[in-house]
Amino acid sequence: MHYTDDPLMNTTRRNHQLILEPITTTTTTLPGTRTDLYRAGCTAGDWIDPRTYDYNAHAESFDQHMTELQEQLHTPEPGPAEHDSRPDEEA
């Protein structure tokens, strides 16, 4: 399920928004076509992409960040027995 359709991600989506910082505009290979370039980050402060890309590239990278957060949300925390599978050893 995509993170935008996952009800467990509602709060996470509100806390993690894509921020774009305009850097420059460049001319592409098509005559007269210009592309805005940005640096990107997340409002939660846990993801940043300082590379200069267009919106679509940053959106794809941000989607990967959100997918990783979704996977973390759906991964259960290990229980006490799973932390150490060996019984305590007496000296």
Side-chain angles (χ1 to χ4, degrees):
M1 171 186 316
H2 194 263
Y3 75 88
T4 57
D5 299 324
D6 187 345
L8 292 177
M9 289 290 291
N10 286 344
T11 301
T12 303
R13 280 198 321 272
R14 281 192 297 275
N15 295 332
H16 295 260
Q17 299 289 318
L18 177 62
I19 302 171
L20 296 173
E21 177 188 353
I23 300 300
T24 187
T25 300
T26 187
T27 304
T28 63
T29 55
L30 298 174
T33 304
R34 301 176 65 78
T35 301
D36 295 328
L37 300 177
Y38 307 92
R39 288 191 188 113
C42 177
T43 56
D46 62 346
W47 175 83
I48 188 167
D49 191 346
R51 298 173 290 184
T52 305
Y53 286 144
D54 68 357
Y55 169 79
N56 291 328
H58 281 306
E60 187 175 320
S61 184
F62 184 74
D63 278 351
Q64 179 61 39
H65 164 65
M66 293 301 290
T67 299
E68 290 168 3
L69 291 174
Q70 181 184 29
E71 290 170 357
Q72 290 172 9
L73 185 64
H74 286 276
T75 302
E77 293 288 325
E82 296 176 36
H83 284 291
D84 188 6
S85 60
R86 297 180 315 184
D88 291 332
E89 296 179 12
E90 294 185 24

